[in-house]
Amino acid sequence: MRIIHYSPKLRSGGPSALAADLACALQSSDCENIVVSPPCELISRQNAAGVRHIISRSINLMTTWQEIRRLRNIIRNHKPAVVQVYSAEAAWVTSMASRRLRPSARPRIVGVLTGYPTPGTPKVGWRHCHVFTAISKHLRNVLDAPGSPLSSKPWVIPYGVNERLCYPGYTPTTAWLEQWRRNNPNAGADKMSICVPGAISPLHGLEDIVPILTGLLRSGIGAHVFIAGDTRRANEDYVAELKQKFADAQLSDHITWIGARADLRDVLCACDVTLSLTREPATWDRPVLEALTLGRPVVGYDHGVIGELLEAFLPEGRVAPGDTASIIDTLSQWNTYSPSTAPEIPFPYRLSDTAATYKKLYREIVPQAKS
């Protein structure tokens, strides 16, 4: 079976990388995969896995009709059974590109939803798909609510981690750990090290670090927080406001801003615990999933996908949203004993699980694939 993954905004970070990772995973399981996207840093990874990459341009008012004709030619030449799209715009372009093809030559369109649809786009974009997938149960429930613009109930297919890279028992190299300790002398072995990964924005609740860290220090627990997020993409005034709050609470020496990290996997392993403080229910959280699949404890607010992941991996890490006192209590307990984390990655949170479930979906919607 041949699959085209059409992702006009493919990039290395976040759920948009699903197209590249899924194509690579499917390529090793009797599926031929082609990724159609703008040039990006993921091309070398795809090529190494045998996935073909065809360059496209981002969709805008000036390029839309050119991209429709271009995609139509790609479909004609490669005859895919499925075109998998990762945005409402891509779904619309694929539908328009397929209209002039013979009915028997039109591929099935699979829409992959990873975040909340923006107002108006589902009606003109997602409605052209034959089937939909949602990256989490929470997102499926949102999309399945009364008044949903989708024409059918989405499949829930999480974006699993590559189990060859993230697994319980993984440890950073000795050289990496020595460098980490040299760069962070304030976070000694006698302190609880806490990683707070994610975007630097008010939605991620970084203000709650103040009462949490203050409470731990007052109870006699030495703690140090590492904020792993790209401050260059954050609002400068918000970052300055956060730093002032930390300074006013006399916490600056207990907090290190480490920026966006290509070695986040190692950082998560080097820290004692990962903390999620998202104030709004998230549809997906890659760093939290990676921490859990690495066997590292996570405590977070019990809503959206965070509650979903913690229920599967570490239920005792769930805390009512906004309840910083309970986070302090949980971390205090974990300072005394280490919680029992999952000894292996549960289904469906491995990349191989993701690929297997998509193959099952393809067999459902492509008649000739059932044999």
Side-chain angles (χ1 to χ4, degrees):
M1 182 187 299
R2 185 174 294 121
I3 313 296
I4 287 180
H5 303 262
Y6 183 36
S7 182
K9 296 181 180 179
L10 187 66
R11 59 185 185 275
S12 60
S16 62
L18 173 58
D21 283 344
L22 180 57
C24 293
L26 287 168
Q27 190 71 18
S28 62
S29 60
D30 302 323
C31 283
E32 181 182 349
N33 292 263
I34 301 170
V35 175
V36 180
S37 76
C40 67
E41 57 271 47
L42 298 172
I43 294 178
S44 59
R45 184 197 307 176
Q46 298 168 39
N47 290 340
V51 174
R52 180 172 179 179
H53 186 271
I54 298 177
I55 293 176
S56 70
R57 290 192 292 178
S58 297
I59 301 172
N60 56 51
L61 290 175
M62 301 296 294
T63 64
T64 296
W65 293 107
Q66 293 176 352
E67 286 305 302
I68 289 173
R69 289 193 295 270
R70 180 179 173 80
L71 184 60
R72 182 182 299 122
N73 289 332
I74 292 172
I75 293 172
R76 279 176 175 157
N77 292 335
H78 295 281
K79 300 178 175 58
V82 171
V83 174
Q84 194 146 294
V85 295
Y86 296 81
S87 69
E89 295 85 357
W92 181 80
V93 169
T94 303
S95 174
M96 296 297 292
S98 301
R99 282 187 177 183
R100 293 187 181 180
L101 301 176
R102 301 188 317 273
S104 61
R106 294 172 187 168
R108 308 297 282 177
I109 304 174
V110 176
V112 180
L113 293 99
T114 59
Y116 299 112
T118 55
T121 56
K123 183 177 181 181
V124 300
W126 294 120
R127 68 176 183 179
H128 298 289
C129 298
H130 297 98
V131 67
F132 308 92
T133 69
I135 202 168
S136 63
K137 294 177 184 176
H138 168 69
L139 180 57
R140 187 270 313 276
N141 293 340
V142 171
L143 296 170
D144 198 38
S148 170
L150 303 186
S151 57
S152 62
K153 188 173 183 177
W155 287 49
V156 176
I157 309 182
Y159 176 9
V161 298
N162 187 332
E163 58 268 37
R164 291 176 295 177
L165 301 177
C166 291
Y167 53 87
Y170 169 84
T171 56
T173 64
T174 301
W176 187 94
L177 287 170
E178 290 176 352
Q179 184 67 39
W180 172 261
R181 297 186 187 108
R182 284 195 297 268
N183 292 341
N184 301 286
N186 291 337
D190 59 336
K191 295 181 181 179
M192 172 180 278
S193 52
I194 303 170
C195 183
V196 185
I200 310 300
S201 77
L203 292 177
H204 285 77
L206 296 177
E207 293 85 352
D208 289 352
I209 291 174
V210 173
I212 293 169
L213 192 49
T214 299
L216 290 172
L217 296 173
R218 285 177 177 173
S219 64
I221 297 175
H224 195 92
V225 170
F226 295 93
I227 299 177
D230 193 349
T231 55
R232 295 172 301 177
R233 295 187 178 184
N235 181 281
E236 292 183 4
D237 292 337
Y238 176 68
V239 173
E241 180 183 341
L242 272 178
K243 290 183 176 180
Q244 188 61 51
K245 287 183 178 181
F246 297 154
D248 292 343
Q250 299 182 337
L251 296 174
S252 298
D253 292 340
H254 300 276
I255 297 171
T256 300
W257 299 73
I258 61 175
R261 301 286 297 229
D263 59 350
L264 182 60
R265 174 181 58 162
D266 293 327
V267 173
L268 294 170
C269 285
C271 292
D272 296 308
V273 65
T274 296
L275 191 59
S276 173
L277 302 170
T278 54
R279 294 188 167 178
E280 298 293 333
T283 60
W284 197 242
D285 195 305
R286 188 71 174 184
V288 166
L289 176 62
E290 288 189 354
L292 290 167
T293 55
L294 289 165
R296 309 306 298 166
V298 175
V299 60
Y301 292 145
D302 187 15
H303 57 189
V305 76
I306 301 302
E308 193 175 313
L309 292 172
L310 287 171
E311 181 181 5
F313 285 86
L314 185 61
E316 65 183 285
R318 296 178 296 179
V319 172
D323 189 355
T324 57
S326 291
I327 289 183
I328 296 169
D329 182 58
T330 299
L331 294 177
S332 298
Q333 293 181 48
W334 289 358
N335 189 57
T336 303
Y337 73 92
S338 297
S340 298
T341 55
E344 58 184 30
I345 303 173
F347 181 87
Y349 295 110
R350 297 167 297 187
L351 185 57
S352 58
D353 298 330
T354 307
T357 308
Y358 269 103
K359 287 186 69 176
K360 181 180 179 181
L361 182 152
Y362 302 151
R363 289 193 293 269
E364 290 285 333
I365 65 172
V366 180
Q368 59 267 31
K370 293 184 178 181
S371 57

